Amino acid sequence: MSQTMKIKKGDVVHVLRGKDAGKEGRVLEARPKDGKVLVENINVIKKHRRPKAIQNTTGIGGSVVPGGIIELPAPLPVSNVMLVCPSCGKPTRIGTIEKTIGGKQVRIRVCKRCNQEVDR
Ligand SMILES: [Zn+2]
């Protein structure tokens, strides 16, 4: 069974390892299958793009897509980041508690520092 990922899209995380260690960013995408997260402005890779000519289907004219450098965040292992608690504002480990809401059992993430619920 795969490990459940406690980091979700929209979370703010603190980077522990890698070239952006010490930085914080917002999670753009969580990929539980890969155990990876995509974090805004973190682990950014630069891709060089060549100018590309596009043929116009009418045969008249056509246009050119300008080349340049595009910057894209690359996914990083979820173990390299730590959630920043929205309540105490510090990188923290996450615990989960079970709660019954409307007769349904739900798991809620809590901060191990301040015991406040992370999900609001
Ligand atoms: Zn906290």
Side-chain angles (χ1 to χ4, degrees):
M1 201 183 135
S2 66
Q3 198 190 334
T4 50
M5 222 160 68
K6 288 175 179 169
I7 304 286
K8 292 177 183 174
K9 184 183 173 180
D11 285 344
V12 174
V13 292
H14 180 91
V15 182
L16 301 170
R17 297 178 197 95
K19 61 171 182 170
D20 290 316
K23 288 189 190 173
E24 287 177 5
R26 190 168 291 274
V27 176
L28 299 173
E29 202 182 313
R31 298 179 181 171
K33 274 186 186 170
D34 306 326
K36 288 184 174 176
V37 285
L38 209 61
V39 188
E40 192 178 26
N41 298 324
I42 301 294
N43 205 26
V44 171
I45 49 163
K46 286 179 182 174
K47 278 190 177 175
H48 294 263
R49 199 171 53 179
R50 286 163 194 265
K52 203 165 124 189
I54 292 176
Q55 284 295 316
N56 194 317
T57 46
T58 57
I60 309 158
S63 59
V64 173
V65 175
I69 298 167
I70 43 170
E71 296 188 351
L72 291 169
L76 63 160
V78 72
S79 57
N80 284 13
V81 301
M82 216 172 194
L83 181 83
V84 174
C85 170
S87 295
C88 61
K90 290 175 183 162
T92 183
R93 290 198 294 137
I94 310 161
T96 50
I97 54 162
E98 289 199 349
K99 235 183 175 180
T100 310
I101 297 172
K104 227 179 147 188
Q105 278 240 315
V106 289
R107 300 193 106 194
I108 290 169
R109 299 183 301 164
V110 291
C111 169
K112 289 224 175 180
R113 275 182 196 266
C114 65
N115 289 319
Q116 293 296 308
E117 292 175 9
V118 173
D119 301 296
R120 283 169 296 181

